[in-house]
Amino acid sequence: MKKRFMMLVSSVVAAGTLLAACGEGNNEDTTPVNNDANGGNEITENEENNNNDGNNEATGDGEGFSSKMVTDTGGVDDRSFNESAWAGLQMFGDDYPEAEVEYIQSNDASDYAPNLNRLARDGTDITFAIGFLMEDDIRTVAQQNEDQNFAIVDTVVMEDDETISNIANITFAEHEGSFLVGAVAAMHSETDHVGFIGGVESDLIKKFESGFKAGVKYVDPDMEVTVQYAQDFNDASRGQQIADTMYGNGVDIIYHAAGGTGNGLFTEAIDRARNGENVWAIGVDQDQALTEGEWDEGNVILTSMVKRVDQAVYQVSEDTMNGNFPGGEVLEFGLEDDGVGIAETRDNVSDEAIEAVEEYEAMILNGEIEVPQTDDEYEEFESSL
Amino acid sequence: MGNIFKDKLFGLVVPLIAIGFGFLAGGVIMLLSGNNPIDGYVALMQGVFGEVYYFGETLQRMTPLIFSGLAVAFAFRTGLLNIGVEGQLIVGWFVSVFVGIVIEAPMIIHLPLAILAGALAGALWGFVPGILKAKFQVHEVIVTIMMNYIAMHVVNHFIRNFMLESGQRTAFINDSASLSSDFLTSITDFSRLHWGFLIAVAACFVMWFILWKTKKGFELRSVGYNKHASSYAGMNVNMNIILSMSVSGAFAGIGGAMVGLGTYNYANILPSFTNLGFDGIAVALLGSSTSIGIFLSAFLFGGLKEGANNMQSQAGVAPELVEIIIALIIFFVASSYLIRWIYSRLQSKKEGK
Amino acid sequence: MEYVIEMNNIRKEFPGIVANDNITLQVKQGEIHALLGENGAGKSTLMNVLFGLYQPEKGEIKVRGEKVDVTDPNVASKLGIGMVHQHFMLVQNFSVTENIILGSEPTKRGSIDLRKAAKDVADISDQYGLRVDPTAKIEDISVGMQQRVEILKTLYRGAEILIFDEPTAALTPQEIKELIQIMKNLISEGKSIILITHKLKEIMQVCDRCTVIRRGKGIGTVNVADSTENSLAEMMVGREVSFEVEKTAAIPKDQVLSIKDLIVEDARGIEVVDGLNLDVRAGEIIGVAGVDGNGQTELIEAITGLRQPKGGTIHVSGQDITSYKPRKVTEAGVGHIPQDRHKHGLVLEFTVGENILLQTYYQKPFTKNGVLNYPKMYEKARQLIEEYDVRTPNEKTLARSLSGGNQQKAIIAREVDRSPDLLIAAQPTRGLDVGAIEFIHRKLVEERDKGRAVLLVSLELDEVLNVSDKIAVIYEGKIVALVDAKDTNEKELGLLMAGGKKGVGETK
């Protein structure tokens, strides 16, 4: 499966800047900016360094290659993208047994920069920053360690409207995946009322929200969707409280994009299922039904919207090892690359819904449906229905 | 009398023994969890002193801790428990960054203005519990805890709705308000060490001077030790309570400004507390609320946190373990009674012979 | 003669100090034995040695003739030694019974048998005439009653020898009378008592023999019946002491303090000072006599600005200070020796020097531009320490480590040195020993002679009678009588204090 990945260089970013197909181009663009200071040197160094990438090329078993990651404060057992990313690295380590894979856990936000620096100083061939919270730190560290390769998950690191040549930006088309689970939710809802719980309001989580709402409305424009943000990614009790209110107001299916806060949703759903209520939850990032939602008579998780962070990390590691470090590129893993999608656990999903999902997937891929990513795009989408 | 000297010595010995016990217990836990404690502690030391980068980062980390420690200690000297340093630091951070972004002025005006704005914001956040305590006898611990939440959510609200730039943060501050130092960065091999460290050192001196050399400090300490006698001697106890909380908040606010103007150059939406303020309680406790003690214990805490990351990458020790060691040190400091007891036991045994 | 306790040639050193130097104390079975000495003479140290809290460097302890090694208080307890501490060690929100059994709870199948305990406590209480309600909560009972609970505690644990540490310090005259009766009951039931005190009157009243120590040394043991207050005092202080305050007749001059129709509420909002009128003139000492709780505290707080009066006026030297804050009152010329040294008079964690400057630290030359001049402060402090004979190693010693008498001297130095027109002394000698009392009384008279107005508020009738020129009796917030100290006596004052009318005599 991992081999099937295609790189997709997205040009949607950065206000019309042409990223061309290769990251190196950026150096020239940034040259004037650096010129005043000690620019001249830097550029030559830079060029050399980027050329050096080739020298890191490892043999087939990964000997001499190291791929490491810095977690955000969630740690590698967050049952979410840190865990997924680490799974990807481990998979990589299994396939290339001589390659060195490792992670450092960050206890708080002030650890990000030193941890990234630490790995860079150790001469790590590619250092992953897991999570958009590290955006600023990785920018600084990458600029200070220009001969090192970095990658960040879930965001695009920019400097003066340019990407940075030694950072690969890994993003996902979360809106596409969310569209699919939105469609599933719409088809399963008996009350014609579904809900969405977001973590902290941001452009990223908006993609989940917009895609989900679009999916729901696409199936049935009369469906009601309630949206609430917990303003916290790690507050399960807040999540439970929101879920309680939503279910209490007639919502019967809730999708969350709220990290640890979402665990409260599952708790509430299980409580209500035990009381005989017919409620569902939809997981996010990973196939959450594997770890959450279980109760004595089944699982309250209808399905999950998965982001294959593991595949992305694996792919970028492998490419880097092979001398194709996608520095400065914006990689968007979408439906096309199986970078996002609906989870493999779908026992609770009706055949009818699965069929519909497959149909919509095809429509998204061929451009028939353009899934909105922002509030504005969503409004446009909704009025076009 | 030899007692004074003995007390002073004790003030030094107890924290040292506490630290010793903390490390010892940490070593035992490492052994039990299958790690080599020597490797672990070597990695810890290397994570602080091994490279100038790490050392610079340690100094950078201890900068806000010094301020939060001073803030806690200052209030404590006046008999108040300021648990709200966290919130005061958060508003100080935000407001200083706000001033750093929206105002354009030459550095000589802009930077002091931004720091001052942070100090005022923190002072305001300390003033509220101070006045509630003075006028209505509302316990400052309860109010300050509440104020922490208010600070975090209000600041998050402002950033989210008015100042969000990319992801979770505001724009960068103007260079004229930045404490970042190319010089300090270059001598520490790209660490985030900034001029704020020197401000923190100066702040230690300022607190010492205020408390021990000024009229106000005399009153604050007097009120802290004995409110009744102070009011009998004509001091305005309520005024001193308000003043103490405000100054304490100002220290915390400057601590926040150090983070905002020095370390990050922006403010971001906080998913949870920074813990810098709460760690300040431990720093002040370990430093026995003295300037020099706070400086040293801030270094210890900063070093532990910095070195912790190296412990996991170099020695494979779980980062939680370092948190446990810190907790154990605090435990042993807090139970200095126990250490005193053991000490006096040993002493009386010696005397008995 | 059989001794129940023998402490022979006890020596106990602390770093830099010999607290007990070759002291011998022998207590007979069934006697009340006084241990007399000034504050800091070493009484408490000696008793702590007996109670096992300290180990002596030299000397031996015998209990009922047998040499023992009292290594800790549990051993003392087993030997039948019980201590009634000066500062009660009671849990405020526990009942009497719970406090008594604390540490030796009788259990029935693992749970505390409170009913049995309460019955035991009641039995012991009856036996010695203690009249304690076993179910009452400590916070609800009087100080005297709390002390009886402490006594019960030792008896409950089977004490045969009871040590009383300054038991009367916190008691009212009535409670003292009751305590003396209780001690006598204990003796008649076969117990022995060691009474630590510096109050000569009590020794004369209840004790059989008396051992005197002075500055850590044993001075000797005498039969009380063969001694007088003066002879005991001389042994204790080491020189002759006079109990009469020597003073000439007062020559009152201008009016200094003038209080008109003063009304003051206490913390609960009750008008405890209720239309009080009082004048004090320069060159006289007015003593305020009254039973505790008749508005004395609130009166002083109103004058000194600590409590805002509800009505009436207060003038000092013609200045209306009714609504002044404490600092302004001080500056208007009022000195105040507060009744509670530790709580109101001193910041114990401050140095002696800082305490001496506690009223003047903000003035020049001690503060300039908001910055303290410590050398100047300590210079002033040294001068006053010398002048007022405050016994302290130096001005930088913590106030906490001084004896009560020297702490009080430091306060007096502070208040008197400012040459206030009006000096208020509230209970200035409470808990002090003979030497210190003498010093303070002399100082008050000296100040009077210098032309100050002195207002002395005291619960001790002896003191009021001895020191004052005129006595104002306070009853329910009013001055009910103003009498010349020479023309009255304890009996008359006692009646007036209880609300009787002057001259009407025994009608009440």
Side-chain angles (χ1 to χ4, degrees):
Chain A
M1 172 154 187
K2 67 230 170 204
K3 297 272 159 73
R4 284 187 286 133
F5 270 89
M6 284 281 298
M7 285 300 145
L8 188 122
V9 181
S10 158
S11 56
V12 275
V13 228
T17 305
L18 272 180
L19 297 172
C22 65
E24 256 88 319
N26 288 315
N27 284 325
E28 275 135 37
D29 285 358
T30 54
T31 310
V33 181
N34 285 336
N35 230 357
D36 295 332
N38 44 3
N41 264 341
E42 259 174 36
I43 297 159
T44 37
E45 249 175 43
N46 229 343
E47 302 270 309
E48 273 169 24
N49 294 335
N50 283 318
N51 293 339
N52 278 349
D53 288 347
N55 299 341
N56 287 338
E57 262 185 71
T59 49
D61 56 2
E63 196 179 340
F65 185 78
S66 56
S67 176
K68 301 180 184 179
M69 60 181 256
V70 175
T71 75
D72 74 4
T73 53
V76 286
D77 42 12
D78 66 346
R79 300 178 191 167
S80 184
F81 56 85
N82 284 307
E83 188 167 323
S84 182
W86 178 229
L89 273 192
Q90 283 175 309
M91 203 157 49
F92 180 76
D94 288 342
D95 287 352
Y96 299 97
E98 292 301 314
E100 197 186 344
V101 295
E102 201 187 295
Y103 72 91
I104 305 190
Q105 190 163 322
S106 304
N107 289 315
D108 56 58
S110 57
D111 285 341
Y112 297 154
N115 281 344
L116 291 168
N117 235 312
R118 183 166 280 110
L119 293 186
R121 274 152 200 278
D122 289 350
T124 309
D125 292 304
I126 181 159
T127 301
F128 289 90
I130 311 302
F132 65 95
L133 291 172
M134 272 177 258
E135 180 182 342
D136 297 304
D137 291 312
I138 202 172
R139 176 189 301 116
T140 316
V141 173
Q143 287 171 342
Q144 287 166 351
N145 298 276
E146 285 169 326
D147 48 345
Q148 295 293 326
N149 297 330
F150 297 88
I152 186 159
V153 174
D154 260 0
T155 192
V156 179
V157 182
M158 312 273 276
E159 174 88 3
D160 296 327
D161 291 342
E162 305 278 352
T163 56
I164 289 164
S165 63
N166 59 337
I167 300 177
N169 305 284
I170 300 169
T171 67
F172 296 87
E174 290 94 353
H175 51 296
E176 295 178 358
S178 299
F179 184 94
L180 299 182
V181 292
V184 171
M187 299 180 76
H188 276 263
S189 175
E190 286 166 10
T191 59
D192 285 352
H193 190 176
V194 296
F196 172 79
I197 301 178
V200 176
E201 213 170 326
S202 65
D203 291 347
L204 177 64
I205 305 300
K206 272 286 170 204
K207 282 166 84 178
F208 291 86
E209 184 197 325
S210 306
F212 178 72
K213 288 195 293 192
V216 173
K217 298 279 183 175
Y218 193 82
V219 172
D220 179 358
D222 296 330
M223 291 280 292
E224 202 180 330
V225 186
T226 303
V227 173
Q228 194 171 350
Y229 280 83
Q231 304 305 12
D232 201 321
F233 281 111
N234 269 314
D235 188 347
S237 64
R238 177 97 182 104
Q240 184 170 0
Q241 194 189 331
I242 295 174
D244 179 40
T245 313
M246 283 190 182
Y247 285 136
N249 290 337
V251 169
D252 63 348
I253 300 174
I254 301 175
Y255 172 44
H256 86 93
T261 304
N263 291 338
L265 162 65
F266 301 135
T267 314
E268 182 61 27
I270 291 169
D271 279 357
R272 287 186 177 253
R274 284 215 178 100
N275 287 334
E277 289 181 45
N278 191 19
V279 296
W280 296 103
I282 298 176
V284 79
D285 289 347
Q286 290 200 290
D287 190 352
Q288 290 198 289
L290 299 176
T291 51
E292 302 285 340
E294 200 84 36
W295 64 297
D296 7 315
E297 289 173 38
N299 196 308
V300 294
I301 298 180
L302 188 55
T303 184
S304 299
M305 198 290 283
V306 292
K307 260 164 84 169
R308 301 302 302 268
V309 179
D310 50 345
Q311 299 291 4
V313 167
Y314 184 99
Q315 192 61 43
V316 173
S317 296
E318 194 178 53
D319 284 351
T320 307
M321 186 177 72
N322 295 331
N324 301 320
F325 170 61
E329 294 176 27
V330 178
L331 313 169
E332 188 179 64
F333 293 82
L335 281 177
E336 200 173 354
D337 329 285
D338 285 350
V340 295
I342 153 169
E344 286 181 11
T345 309
R346 45 183 90 166
D347 307 345
N348 293 323
V349 185
S350 64
D351 294 342
E352 190 191 351
I354 291 176
E355 269 170 40
V357 162
E358 279 164 6
E359 187 190 328
Y360 295 146
E361 205 172 334
M363 287 166 79
I364 294 170
L365 286 176
N366 65 27
E368 222 170 300
I369 299 175
E370 204 167 312
V371 184
Q373 304 191 35
T374 64
D375 282 344
D376 293 344
E377 285 177 23
Y378 170 72
E379 267 171 43
E380 211 175 293
F381 178 87
E382 198 186 10
S383 58
S384 73
L385 285 177
Chain B
M1 223 181 255
N3 263 340
I4 300 169
F5 175 69
K6 219 170 156 187
D7 281 354
K8 283 230 166 118
L9 195 71
F10 233 100
L12 191 68
V13 165
V14 170
L16 287 180
I17 294 177
I19 293 166
F21 277 162
F23 276 106
L24 205 67
V28 170
I29 292 171
M30 272 194 259
L31 265 181
L32 291 177
S33 60
N35 292 294
N36 183 340
I38 295 171
D39 288 352
Y41 284 133
V42 166
L44 179 72
M45 294 307 273
Q46 284 176 347
V48 178
F49 300 104
E51 284 185 36
V52 284
Y53 171 80
Y54 296 144
F55 192 68
E57 276 293 317
T58 301
L59 298 186
Q60 179 272 120
R61 261 173 209 274
M62 72 184 277
T63 303
L65 288 176
I66 290 175
F67 279 102
S68 56
L70 291 175
V72 173
F74 195 88
F76 188 69
R77 287 278 178 195
T78 319
L80 298 165
L81 284 171
N82 183 1
I83 310 295
V85 172
E86 179 75 29
Q88 292 147 13
L89 189 139
I90 290 173
V91 293
W93 177 351
F94 172 71
V95 172
S96 64
V97 166
F98 177 78
V99 170
I101 292 171
V102 298
I103 289 179
E104 296 210 17
M107 186 179 244
I108 191 141
I109 298 166
H110 198 186
L111 181 56
L113 191 70
I115 296 173
L116 189 72
L120 284 176
L124 174 72
W125 232 252
F127 172 81
V128 173
I131 196 159
L132 288 176
K133 164 97 176 179
K135 298 283 174 208
F136 305 109
Q137 277 76 51
V138 188
H139 203 287
E140 74 276 11
V141 168
I142 294 167
V143 182
T144 48
I145 289 174
M146 295 301 161
M147 293 288 286
N148 284 341
Y149 286 98
I150 297 173
M152 184 169 81
H153 291 298
V154 166
V155 165
N156 282 354
H157 175 81
F158 274 110
I159 296 177
R160 191 174 293 122
N161 292 304
F162 304 113
M163 298 179 68
L164 204 60
E165 180 79 9
S166 85
Q168 297 277 289
R169 63 165 174 82
T170 65
F172 283 104
I173 53 170
N174 297 329
D175 281 348
S176 55
S178 175
L179 284 164
S180 299
S181 153
D182 288 340
F183 169 70
L184 291 177
T185 298
S186 69
I187 60 166
T188 55
D189 199 10
F190 292 131
S191 86
R192 291 174 292 175
L193 182 62
H194 52 84
W195 293 120
F197 178 69
L198 298 185
I199 299 177
V201 174
C204 287
F205 177 79
V206 168
M207 177 176 100
W208 169 83
F209 187 82
I210 294 179
L211 278 180
W212 301 95
K213 293 291 154 192
T214 69
K215 184 184 83 178
K216 264 295 151 207
F218 185 86
E219 289 183 3
L220 290 169
R221 283 185 297 128
S222 178
V223 169
Y225 284 134
N226 189 341
K227 272 203 296 217
H228 304 285
S230 304
S231 66
Y232 268 62
M235 300 171 192
N236 188 335
V237 171
N238 285 340
M239 203 55 142
N240 277 299
I241 286 174
I242 297 170
L243 180 76
S244 169
M245 284 302 288
S246 303
V247 174
S248 170
F251 273 118
I254 300 176
M258 295 302 112
V259 181
L261 306 176
T263 309
Y264 293 111
N265 288 309
Y266 59 78
N268 60 298
I269 295 173
L270 295 169
S272 62
F273 287 126
T274 65
N275 280 329
L276 288 169
F278 297 125
D279 287 343
I281 300 170
V283 168
L285 183 67
L286 186 63
S288 343
S289 297
T290 61
S291 290
I292 182 86
I294 286 166
F295 182 85
L296 293 174
S297 63
F299 179 73
L300 177 77
F301 278 82
L304 280 172
K305 296 206 168 208
E306 181 60 37
N309 294 320
N310 205 46
M311 274 173 89
Q312 45 165 330
S313 76
Q314 190 177 318
V317 179
E320 288 82 1
L321 186 67
V322 182
E323 297 288 322
I324 292 174
I325 295 173
I326 293 178
L328 285 169
I329 291 173
I330 297 168
F331 168 79
F332 281 112
V333 174
S335 53
S336 65
Y337 169 78
L338 193 74
I339 296 170
R340 274 167 206 271
W341 182 77
I342 293 169
Y343 180 83
S344 66
R345 266 278 136 136
L346 291 174
Q347 203 72 350
S348 69
K349 238 187 203 151
K350 236 191 287 171
E351 274 176 21
K353 272 163 195 165
Chain C
M1 175 53 78
E2 190 206 333
Y3 293 115
V4 62
I5 294 274
E6 278 181 87
M7 299 180 77
N8 293 325
N9 310 316
I10 299 294
R11 182 183 174 86
K12 173 71 198 165
E13 288 174 29
F14 293 109
I17 239 179
V18 183
N20 287 167
D21 183 6
N22 201 20
I23 296 181
T24 295
L25 172 74
Q26 294 166 321
V27 181
K28 290 180 194 167
Q29 170 67 40
E31 73 168 348
I32 303 181
H33 192 110
L35 182 58
L36 176 66
E38 288 194 280
N39 287 330
K43 296 170 299 202
S44 298
T45 307
L46 188 67
M47 286 303 106
N48 284 334
V49 167
L50 178 59
F51 201 54
L53 288 167
Y54 295 145
Q55 302 307 309
E57 267 83 49
K58 260 194 214 144
E60 56 165 17
I61 301 174
K62 286 184 183 172
V63 175
R64 294 176 204 90
E66 270 177 55
K67 190 169 181 307
V68 291
D69 197 4
V70 192
T71 48
D72 65 66
N74 289 333
V75 176
S77 237
K78 283 199 191 93
L79 291 167
I81 301 170
M83 186 132 163
V84 179
H85 294 275
Q86 184 179 359
H87 302 287
F88 308 143
M89 302 182 175
L90 298 170
V91 183
Q92 286 294 318
N93 51 3
F94 271 22
S95 74
V96 168
T97 305
E98 286 167 326
N99 265 287
I100 288 171
I101 61 172
L102 206 61
S104 58
E105 300 89 350
T107 51
K108 199 161 98 186
R109 288 190 299 270
S111 67
I112 296 175
D113 189 353
L114 260 186
R115 200 169 303 162
K116 179 182 181 303
K119 193 179 169 301
D120 291 350
V121 169
D123 286 350
I124 302 171
S125 169
D126 287 347
Q127 188 185 350
Y128 297 97
L130 292 172
R131 289 185 283 124
V132 170
D133 173 7
T135 59
K137 284 237 161 66
I138 296 298
E139 57 196 359
D140 299 333
I141 63 179
S142 69
V143 174
M145 193 69 86
Q146 290 183 22
Q147 184 171 57
R148 279 183 251 156
V149 175
E150 285 280 356
I151 298 170
L152 259 178
K153 216 156 97 179
T154 59
L155 293 173
Y156 183 82
R157 285 165 172 64
E160 290 299 317
I161 304 131
L162 285 86
I163 305 167
F164 283 82
D165 187 3
E166 305 271 7
T168 61
L171 301 186
T172 64
Q174 182 56 35
E175 285 173 330
I176 293 175
K177 236 180 249 170
E178 288 170 10
L179 176 66
I180 287 172
Q181 190 52 50
I182 289 167
M183 287 178 160
K184 286 182 174 157
N185 292 348
L186 288 169
I187 296 301
S188 65
E189 295 284 332
K191 311 283 182 193
S192 311
I193 292 176
I194 300 173
L195 175 64
I196 305 174
T197 187
H198 56 251
K199 292 193 177 168
L200 300 167
K201 221 189 216 174
E202 286 160 15
I203 295 177
M204 300 309 290
Q205 269 178 343
V206 291
C207 296
D208 303 301
R209 299 193 309 147
C210 176
T211 297
V212 182
I213 56 178
R214 184 169 77 224
R215 296 203 183 150
K217 290 199 168 62
I219 302 301
T221 302
V222 294
N223 281 323
V224 172
D226 306 337
S227 320
T228 64
E229 274 189 50
N230 278 330
S231 70
L232 287 178
E234 216 177 306
M235 282 178 79
M236 169 168 78
V237 185
R239 61 183 162 82
E240 226 174 292
V241 220
S242 77
F243 293 102
E244 292 296 314
V245 180
E246 282 176 38
K247 59 175 192 197
T248 55
I251 314 161
K253 297 190 191 87
D254 303 341
Q255 179 136 327
V256 172
L257 174 68
S258 164
I259 301 175
K260 293 244 171 338
D261 304 322
L262 187 70
I263 299 170
V264 189
E265 285 182 352
D266 69 1
R268 295 162 299 170
I270 298 165
E271 290 179 358
V272 286
V273 175
D274 184 13
L276 182 141
N277 290 288
L278 182 65
D279 295 331
V280 186
R281 294 157 67 147
E284 69 175 357
I285 300 177
I286 300 279
V288 174
V291 177
D292 198 8
N294 272 285
Q296 295 98 318
T297 308
E298 289 76 12
L299 169 64
I300 297 169
E301 286 178 349
I303 302 173
T304 50
L306 291 159
R307 194 180 284 276
Q308 196 56 43
K310 279 280 148 195
T313 57
I314 306 167
H315 284 80
V316 169
S317 308
Q319 210 175 340
D320 184 353
I321 63 159
T322 316
S323 58
Y324 278 16
K325 292 260 184 295
R327 167 101 358 127
K328 290 208 74 180
V329 173
T330 309
E331 286 170 349
V334 178
H336 177 203
I337 301 164
Q339 59 178 340
D340 189 330
R341 279 194 293 287
H342 290 176
K343 194 171 170 192
H344 300 136
L346 295 168
V347 178
L348 292 171
E349 286 79 7
F350 269 12
T351 64
V352 179
E354 285 172 320
N355 271 295
I356 287 179
L357 273 291
L358 207 57
Q359 292 275 20
T360 45
Y361 66 92
Y362 63 93
Q363 294 167 356
K364 279 186 181 169
F366 312 120
T367 292
K368 229 166 121 185
N369 302 327
V371 178
L372 294 174
N373 186 339
Y374 262 100
K376 278 258 159 46
M377 287 172 70
Y378 279 131
E379 189 188 309
K380 177 75 181 172
R382 273 196 300 277
Q383 175 207 329
L384 290 182
I385 285 169
E386 180 103 348
E387 211 171 297
Y388 288 82
D389 190 30
V390 183
R391 306 254 170 86
T392 169
N394 61 51
E395 67 279 4
K396 289 175 187 161
T397 305
L398 290 189
R400 178 180 291 292
S401 56
L402 260 55
S403 72
N406 285 309
Q407 290 175 341
Q408 192 73 335
K409 281 183 192 171
I411 295 172
I412 288 171
R414 174 177 83 209
E415 299 300 329
V416 170
D417 179 66
R418 290 185 290 114
S419 308
D421 297 337
L422 172 68
L423 181 63
I424 300 169
Q427 306 252 57
T429 59
R430 189 160 80 166
L432 302 186
D433 56 52
V434 179
I437 291 174
E438 200 189 358
F439 175 91
I440 287 162
H441 286 168
R442 222 174 43 229
K443 263 292 166 208
L444 292 179
V445 173
E446 251 176 60
E447 288 306 303
R448 179 200 75 167
D449 293 344
K450 280 189 205 156
R452 319 246 187 277
V454 179
L455 183 66
L456 169 69
V457 180
S458 177
L459 298 176
E460 310 228 3
L461 276 185
D462 282 354
E463 181 166 78
V464 176
L465 276 165
N466 275 331
V467 181
S468 318
D469 301 310
K470 283 190 196 150
I471 298 171
V473 179
I474 189 168
Y475 176 70
E476 292 187 347
K478 291 188 182 71
I479 300 297
V480 293
L482 186 65
V483 294
D484 209 306
K486 292 193 295 290
D487 305 338
T488 189
N489 55 41
E490 242 178 87
K491 196 173 169 199
E492 188 189 27
L493 286 177
L495 280 169
L496 288 167
M497 282 160 60
K501 292 273 185 316
K502 181 172 161 53
V504 182
E506 272 76 15
T507 52
K508 184 134 190 193

